[in-house]
Amino acid sequence: MDDDRNVAETVRRMMVAEGWVVDVTYDGVSGLEKARNNHFDVIILDIMMPGLNGYEVVRELRRGGVWTPVLMLTAKDGEYDQADAFDFGADDYLTKPFSFVVLIARLRALARRGAPERPPVLTAGSLSLDPAAHVAKRGDTVLELTPREFGMLEFLMRHKGEVVTKAEILDSVWDINYRGDENVVEVYASYLRRRIDAPFGCKAIETVRGVGYRLAADGGG
């Protein structure tokens, strides 16, 4: 789905030449309807479209239980634009101008992954996090988190019960161009503990010395 007909047609022709069967729409409303009513291996989605924007389209697909892999192909290259796309349910993100070789490689990877169902709300004991609505709660209490704190908590909840390293957290939560001290993760782990644990008498985030962090599968009590 792309409202730029020249870009859409160029991508369509190149994909057809690579053996793909391609269907194109130029606005969010018709694109959403087509994605709901047909089976696709993968969806390429622009953000800026008339009717419904790309964020709204992928959010509605996920709310409706459509788990087709979605690649955002857009001129918007800010880190928060990318974070929003992933929060709403996109699987990959590629900015314009782009390499067609890279586009095809990513589409093939997404198609191989298929469309496994993913829970719209992540839970760990009394902790819950809704990526699309951008809301995190401890029980019935809404947690006031900064975007970076929210991103780190989401990553930990997606890997609850597992030990994750500082490097893995940086790669997933910080900008890929971040070159600062990885101890910033320690700082944000401390921030999160003050937000999600201390006020509730819980201990969800465990430091695994010399390795990284683990979020308790039961949310820490």
Side-chain angles (χ1 to χ4, degrees), residues 142-181:
V142 175
L143 302 170
E144 299 296 332
L145 304 177
T146 67
R148 193 77 74 191
E149 291 166 350
F150 188 94
M152 184 168 170
L153 179 59
E154 179 181 353
F155 180 78
L156 291 171
M157 291 185 70
R158 289 189 184 279
H159 297 273
K160 65 182 180 182
E162 305 173 16
V163 178
V164 292
T165 66
K166 292 179 183 178
E168 289 172 329
I169 295 172
L170 280 176
D171 287 345
S172 296
V173 180
W174 270 256
D175 185 87
I176 59 174
N177 296 314
Y178 177 78
R179 294 294 181 269
D181 192 332

Side-chain angles (χ1 to χ4, degrees), residues 71 92-94 98-109:
L71 182 144
D92 202 353
Y93 193 103
L94 190 60
F98 57 90
S99 161
F100 184 70
V101 172
V102 172
L103 172 63
I104 289 297
R106 291 191 175 186
L107 291 176
R108 285 173 177 157

Side-chain angles (χ1 to χ4, degrees), residues 3-176:
D3 66 328
D4 187 327
R5 292 176 182 257
N6 290 330
V7 171
E9 178 57 20
T10 298
V11 171
R12 187 197 68 79
R13 285 190 287 104
M14 289 180 172
M15 290 184 65
V16 168
E18 290 287 325
W20 295 75
V21 176
V22 182
D23 205 344
V24 181
T25 60
Y26 302 101
D27 67 87
V29 175
S30 59
L32 175 60
E33 181 180 3
K34 187 162 290 188
R36 279 172 167 168
N37 297 322
N38 297 274
H39 171 76
F40 296 102
D41 293 321
V42 64
I43 295 170
I44 303 174
L45 188 60
D46 193 9
I47 292 178
M48 304 304 294
M49 296 187 298
L52 294 172
N53 65 42
Y55 298 136
E56 293 169 322
V57 171
V58 72
R59 180 183 62 193
E60 292 306 312
L61 287 176
R62 299 313 187 223
R63 283 180 174 175
V66 177
W67 303 106
T68 306
V70 171
L71 182 144
M72 291 287 201
L73 183 62
T74 175
K76 296 172 72 67
D77 61 356
E79 62 178 279
Y80 289 107
D81 297 314
Q82 296 185 43
D84 286 342
F86 291 125
D87 284 344
F88 283 120
D91 299 273
D92 202 353
Y93 193 103
L94 190 60
T95 58
K96 304 173 186 177
F98 57 90
S99 161
F100 184 70
V101 172
V102 172
L103 172 63
I104 289 297
R106 291 191 175 186
L107 291 176
R108 285 173 177 157
L110 290 175
R112 286 195 300 269
R113 182 188 305 175
E117 184 171 344
R118 290 160 286 181
V121 177
L122 306 174
T123 59
S126 61
L127 276 175
S128 65
L129 185 145
D130 185 335
H134 207 79
V135 173
K137 295 180 180 180
R138 171 71 84 172
D140 293 327
T141 303
V142 175
L143 302 170
E144 299 296 332
L145 304 177
T146 67
R148 193 77 74 191
E149 291 166 350
F150 188 94
M152 184 168 170
L153 179 59
E154 179 181 353
F155 180 78
L156 291 171
M157 291 185 70
R158 289 189 184 279
H159 297 273
K160 65 182 180 182
E162 305 173 16
V163 178
V164 292
T165 66
K166 292 179 183 178
E168 289 172 329
I169 295 172
L170 280 176
D171 287 345
S172 296
V173 180
W174 270 256
D175 185 87
I176 59 174

